[in-house]
Amino acid sequence: MEKTSINIQPMKAGSERHNLRHKELSYIRKDLSHLNESWFDPRYEGKSMNEVREDIAHRYKTAVGQKMQKTAQPLREAVVVIGDSTTMEQLRQLATAMERQFGIKTMQIHIHCDEGHSTAHPSQKGEEWKPNLHAHMCLDWTKPNGKSLALNQLHMSQLQTMTAEILGMERGVSSDVKHLNAVQYKNKKEAERSLALQQQNENLQAEIAQCQESNDQLRSENEELLQKADLIRKTVAELQSEVRKLKITKKGKQAMLMGLNKVTDIFGKSDLLLEKEKLQGKVKEAEDTLALWQGKVEKLKTDLARRTAERDKALQELAECKEQLAKEQEENYRQFLYINNVSSELRQMKREKSAQERAKQPRMYGIPSVVDMSKFNIMEAYQAPPSLFIGIEGYGRISKRAEPEDVRAWRADEISKEELIAKYFSREIEVALTRRLSRLKGARLTAEVKNIENTMFFRLPSILRIPCSQNIPAGSTCGENPNVRHRSREELLRELVDQGYNVNQYKL
């Protein structure tokens, strides 16, 4: 499928004459000009581009209160690449879609089928004409108040897609220059300029060779004509000599000489000499053209050498930037490894310190048997605070919202599971312990109390809820609490103080 594109530029002064072929152009085929087509919007019919611009300037001044700036571009021209089957109706549909979606009004449309180029050199055989089919769309790029339309790059991309869809052609590929960095973009542009200069230099060399060939041909023809002229002059001189030798009257001799001179002037100067002068003029013109092109070639060579030096310098700067970037990346990687190792060592030291503290004070990190540690878990829902789940005797599996900082500390081994459970479920654990102790008696109660003493949840109120009176003498047979049957409250408190417990913090 053929590709299409639309290129929008400010309208030039001679654009209207070019589109209507009111200007002589050397690169068109006049035998194909009858295939060109034009269409004019009735809203602008009969108006020149200058008149349209003046009307826009008047509307702008009426709406804004000041004159339109000289640098404003209210009129623009779009060059659309078309195919063999593209019709004026399709282009009019494109104009309607542009005005409906973007507010761009199309004043004129011109299809040109007489422009193109030859695929081979004219002196070679098999020359083929390759047409450059395109259309010019003259655009009114203003709003009703005379202000210019504000369209961005996205709108231009949408316009390219719209053009391809309406014309039934393939959309051109977007440029990826914007994805390059500054150095890469500069190198790419310099390479493109170098290639363009080289191509232009090759074209100039071909034209110079063509001019030299034409010049040699003209010189050859000139030499042949000079030889013919010399031969004719010799012939005339011989005739004049023969006439002088003849015995002719003076008057007749003069008449014959005059006739011969007339023949010489008419034949020599009118045909040969004029042709010679004409050829000499062409030779001089070719020599002047050759000198002009040689000057341009020298200038292009100088420009090419300068741009090549700039490109080499840019490539060297790019190599230095890449080398510096590689060094920085290597240094950053070494720092990353160092920081990672230090972080690992720090985490290991924290784990060892926590293990030592727990070994020194196992009482501060113990959890009663009423807590099922296998049911402990931390779940993190998407975009929600982390949830802590735990199983406690008498409660089943309950959950609470944990603070993110506590979850982070637990994962970094800065806080243990036991500490995390004690922080969020202490009340539920104490209630479960109280219920458990209230159901036990005798040796089972004593054993359970001993288990609780080795945990962080040893609370005297859970153990000392004794229904007997406070002044029970020693040896009493009260059976409500076998654990304190032969000791009074005071004796039990003194025993606890001797063991290192602070009983003053409890409400006894």
Side-chain angles (χ1 to χ4, degrees), residues 79 101 179 308 361 412:
V79 179
Q101 185 166 349
H179 298 296
T308 303
Q361 300 178 357

Side-chain angles (χ1 to χ4, degrees), residues 10-13 50 53-54 56-57 60-61 66-76 146 148:
M11 184 176 292
K12 299 179 181 179
N50 291 332
R53 183 181 176 87
E54 291 177 359
I56 294 173
Y60 181 86
K61 184 175 182 180
Q66 62 182 12
K67 292 183 178 180
M68 180 182 292
Q69 297 181 359
K70 293 182 179 181
T71 57
Q73 301 171 355
L75 301 181
R76 304 191 185 187
S148 296

Side-chain angles (χ1 to χ4, degrees), residues 136-240:
H136 294 262
M137 301 179 69
C138 302
L139 308 176
D140 182 352
W141 203 270
T142 61
K143 302 176 184 177
N145 57 4
K147 295 183 178 181
S148 296
L149 298 172
L151 302 181
N152 54 30
Q153 191 66 26
L154 177 60
H155 294 147
M156 295 297 99
S157 178
Q158 294 174 352
L159 182 56
Q160 294 283 354
T161 304
M162 177 190 298
T163 302
E165 292 177 352
I166 294 178
L167 299 185
M169 301 174 68
E170 183 178 352
R171 187 190 191 279
V173 180
S174 301
S175 175
D176 59 345
V177 175
K178 63 182 181 182
H179 298 296
L180 303 178
N181 56 39
V183 176
Q184 293 173 334
Y185 179 78
K186 182 178 179 181
N187 293 335
K188 184 176 183 298
K189 284 297 181 183
E190 291 297 332
E192 291 176 354
R193 292 193 190 97
S194 299
L195 292 175
L197 289 173
Q198 292 176 359
Q199 183 65 31
Q200 191 173 2
N201 186 20
E202 293 175 358
N203 295 337
L204 290 175
Q205 293 292 347
E207 293 181 2
I208 290 172
Q210 182 181 358
C211 292
Q212 290 177 346
E213 182 179 356
S214 300
N215 188 20
D216 294 338
Q217 184 178 0
L218 290 174
R219 286 179 178 177
S220 176
E221 294 176 357
N222 186 29
E223 290 176 357
E224 292 178 1
L225 291 174
L226 288 175
Q227 292 177 1
K228 292 180 180 179
D230 292 338
L231 180 61
I232 292 173
R233 289 192 184 92
K234 289 180 180 179
T235 303
V236 171
E238 291 176 357
L239 291 174
Q240 289 178 346

Side-chain angles (χ1 to χ4, degrees), residues 429-439 452 461-462 465:
I429 293 174
E430 288 181 359
V431 173
L433 288 174
T434 303
R435 292 175 180 172
R436 184 180 183 86
L437 293 174
S438 65
R439 295 194 299 268
I452 298 174
S462 302
R465 287 200 177 114

Side-chain angles (χ1 to χ4, degrees), residues 395 400 422 424-432 457:
Y395 286 92
K400 288 188 179 181
Y424 287 95
F425 298 95
S426 59
R427 182 176 180 83
E428 288 80 2
I429 293 174
E430 288 181 359
V431 173
F457 286 92

